[in-house]
Amino acid sequence: VRAYLASEAEHDLILKENDNAHSTHAMTGVPVFIFNNRFKMPGAQEELVFLNVFRRLRDRKIAYDPNAAPPSL
């Protein structure tokens, strides 16, 4: 693991993901959680908040949509 982390492996991918986070999802800080590529929740959250989000997504049967418009705050 140390060798991997010290290497340049996936350097370009990491930069691409970072750029995507800033441009597509308007992320400027961490943590930010994006659910099903549709809903964004900024900031640290309690476990119960995540549980409620997962339940709502399940109950509404909201599927992952890679073509969905970027979520907004």
Side-chain angles (χ1 to χ4, degrees):
V1 171
R2 287 184 180 146
Y4 172 79
L5 293 175
S7 75
E8 292 291 318
E10 300 186 16
H11 179 262
D12 292 340
L13 174 63
I14 292 168
L15 291 178
K16 180 181 174 184
E17 290 292 322
N18 185 59
D19 289 344
N20 183 52
H22 286 278
S23 63
T24 304
H25 300 293
M27 292 171 50
T28 58
V30 292
V32 174
F33 303 94
I34 299 175
F35 301 94
N36 290 5
N37 203 38
R38 298 174 74 180
F39 307 102
K40 181 170 42 174
M41 181 172 63
Q45 304 293 330
E46 296 290 331
E47 295 171 9
L48 187 56
V49 173
F50 285 99
L51 186 57
N52 287 332
V53 168
F54 296 142
R55 285 180 178 155
R56 286 180 181 188
L57 291 171
R58 179 198 64 205
D59 293 347
R60 293 180 185 176
K61 296 178 175 50
I62 299 172
Y64 170 75
D65 182 359
N67 300 313
S72 59
L73 286 175

